[in-house]
Amino acid sequence: MGIPSQDVLNKVYGEDAERAAERLSALAARYDEAFGAGDPEYFTASGRTEIIGNHTDHNGGKILCASITMDSIGAAQKTDDGVVTIWSEGYPEAIVVDTNAIDKIAHGGGSTTLVAGMLEATAKRGFKIGGFNAVCSSEVIPSAGVSSSASFEMLVCEMINHLYNDDAIERADYARIGQYAENVWWDKASGLMDQMACAVGGTILLDFSDGVKYEKVDFGFDELDHDLVIVNTGKGHADLSAEYSSVPNEMHDVAAALGVKNLCESNEDAVLANLAELREKCGDRAVLRALHYFEEVKRVEAAEAAINAGDKAKVLDIITASGRSSWEWLQNAVVPGMPEEEPIPMALALTELYLRKIGAGAFRLHGGGFAGVIMCVIPKAETAGYVDYMAGYFGRENVYLTNIRQTGAACLGKA
């Protein structure tokens, strides 16, 4: 069984097309092994980087984010039995969901639950669902803040869209489908940013104040002669759902105390005018998180203005300022009550020491926080040195050189 054409791979993967071909060839072999000879189509969905806008999506805020070169890939073919069967590399059992008996699957954690929730959400939004056989593989770091789950969700959405809906489902619907599965079936207070960044491709400006609005932004680190380096601190956040959920929950508590549903319906002045009452009612951390929200949205707007004015280098300073706010105001750099284990601050401190020596670059906590990864935007001339430096502390296998890619979720076609 063959793989998509070299022209297609060159367009999506650029200089990594040869490695992508190797990955897809291995995927084709696994499809044959799992389902026998067939004629599947191939799919991709990227991971994502959050540039500025940490924890603003769930309260109607703004975010600057992008798809990255790490991606999930899949091969899938329709079936007539209404059963979705997905073999995912590294997992001993297949995900199996009968689209005619979704209600028989229990809510909770796990990939089967996630796929069932997505299929239910797709049908509820008025789109078609049906059976298919698929195999998947991912190089998106799991449980680490670059959205491995959202990448998988958007990969499955792309399969459902292409196989059963003639590519008619909008990217915003992809995001809502993934969010529904996480919120309703996983009981995880997920926003929409992860899914949108994985699905759309390139750098995008997201505005959640009235639904989901997005626009493409002409911004990349390559044009600043910088690289994006992701450092996995070695501690995943798969078991930190309570800490992750506390962020939107506490912001919503402050919003409710201000008489609104989401913080986007109020403003920073209202928080300051009612500070004593909010501290008493919601607690200091919740108020600090609300203040972070308003300041973070301002930073996204400042970055947008800088890009439009042609001062793209200014975005690097805003990235670092955003990271400091996440650490100090949002307080999602450490897990409360665990001072003996603080991998995110350790990685940030080591990075700050390095960047201080070279006098350049930007860095920040990345993603949901509490554990997982940090990001560093570093001049290309210094990349190798920084990679060696961080590899000495976290292991070379945990330091990833990546980039922004223009393709989010897509069908790569047939062989």
Side-chain angles (χ1 to χ4, degrees):
M1 187 167 66
I3 61 173
S5 72
Q6 192 65 43
D7 286 344
V8 170
L9 299 186
N10 288 340
K11 182 178 179 181
V12 174
Y13 293 97
E15 61 186 27
D16 289 331
E18 184 175 344
R19 188 169 66 86
E22 293 174 357
R23 293 172 62 213
L24 289 165
S25 294
L27 194 73
R30 283 196 292 273
Y31 187 93
D32 281 349
E33 182 181 349
F35 302 111
D39 189 26
E41 295 187 81
Y42 293 86
F43 300 84
T44 176
S46 72
R48 68 102 178 99
T49 180
E50 169 196 274
I51 301 172
I52 304 164
N54 194 221
H55 279 287
T56 61
D57 55 337
H58 42 64
N59 266 263
K62 296 181 178 181
I63 297 174
L64 189 67
C65 56
S67 299
I68 60 174
T69 54
M70 295 178 186
D71 74 335
S72 301
I73 55 174
Q77 185 171 0
K78 289 175 69 171
T79 62
D80 297 326
D81 57 6
V83 177
V84 173
T85 304
I86 303 173
W87 284 98
S88 190
E89 184 180 18
Y91 292 86
E93 296 182 358
I95 299 165
V96 180
V97 179
D98 186 341
T99 58
N100 297 307
I102 294 174
D103 59 342
K104 303 297 183 183
I105 296 176
H107 289 215
S111 298
T112 298
T113 298
L114 193 65
V115 172
M118 292 172 62
L119 289 164
E120 180 178 86
T122 303
K124 282 190 171 185
R125 299 193 75 80
F127 300 111
K128 297 177 182 177
I129 59 174
F132 58 89
N133 291 331
V135 292
C136 300
S137 175
S138 182
E139 61 180 12
V140 184
I141 314 166
S143 301
V146 286
S147 296
S148 59
S149 59
S151 178
F152 174 74
E153 291 164 19
M154 298 304 95
L155 184 71
V156 173
C157 277
E158 185 68 21
M159 292 174 178
I160 297 169
N161 189 17
H162 185 75
L163 295 176
Y164 283 98
N165 293 278
D166 297 322
D167 302 317
I169 306 177
E170 298 290 340
R171 291 302 188 259
D173 285 311
Y174 277 32
R176 291 189 181 97
I177 288 166
Q179 183 192 41
Y180 176 92
E182 294 199 22
N183 289 176
V184 176
W185 283 70
W186 258 11
D187 196 27
K188 179 180 177 183
S190 170
L192 290 164
M193 184 272 288
D194 293 353
Q195 289 83 358
M196 288 297 291
C198 291
V200 174
T203 302
I204 57 173
L205 177 68
L206 287 163
D207 185 344
F208 295 101
S209 60
D210 183 18
V212 185
K213 297 178 182 177
Y214 72 93
E215 60 180 278
K216 288 269 196 172
V217 177
D218 181 17
F219 177 80
F221 297 122
D222 265 340
E223 61 189 298
L224 297 176
D225 200 31
H226 280 59
D227 284 323
L228 174 62
V229 179
I230 300 292
V231 179
N232 187 358
T233 65
K235 169 63 177 176
H237 59 225
D239 57 345
L240 298 173
S241 293
E243 286 76 11
Y244 177 84
S245 297
S246 72
V247 177
N249 291 343
E250 289 183 13
M251 287 187 185
H252 282 128
D253 287 344
V254 174
L258 292 171
V260 296
K261 181 180 180 181
N262 294 312
L263 289 175
C264 67
E265 301 166 64
S266 188
N267 54 60
E268 188 174 283
D269 288 342
V271 173
L272 297 176
N274 297 278
L275 189 63
E277 179 184 346
L278 291 172
R279 292 179 67 189
E280 178 68 26
K281 188 171 184 178
C282 304
D284 282 355
R285 188 176 71 173
V287 176
L288 283 166
R289 285 174 164 173
L291 290 171
H292 161 85
Y293 166 88
F294 291 114
E295 290 295 306
E296 188 75 340
V297 171
K298 291 178 187 177
R299 279 185 282 270
V300 174
E301 293 170 344
E304 179 187 14
I307 292 168
N308 291 337
D311 187 9
K312 296 182 179 181
K314 185 177 180 180
V315 174
L316 300 182
D317 292 333
I318 301 173
I319 288 172
T320 297
S322 171
R324 292 200 181 283
S325 183
S326 293
W327 190 347
E328 297 169 4
W329 294 27
L330 186 61
Q331 298 180 45
N332 64 332
V334 301
V335 178
M338 293 183 63
E340 73 283 358
E341 190 172 301
E342 298 187 352
I344 292 293
M346 182 63 69
L348 292 172
L350 291 169
T351 298
E352 183 170 4
L353 290 173
Y354 190 90
L355 297 188
R356 191 184 298 167
K357 288 180 180 178
I358 66 173
F363 68 107
R364 61 159 301 133
L365 170 157
H366 192 272
F370 302 107
V373 304
I374 70 163
M375 65 176 277
C376 178
V377 184
I378 191 161
K380 289 182 179 292
E382 302 288 347
T383 300
Y386 175 73
V387 169
D388 287 343
Y389 170 78
M390 294 301 280
Y393 297 108
F394 295 96
R396 188 165 296 275
E397 72 279 7
N398 288 316
V399 184
Y400 301 83
L401 176 60
T402 185
N403 210 331
I404 294 172
R405 82 170 194 179
Q406 296 305 310
T407 301
C411 176
L412 301 172
K414 294 186 177 183

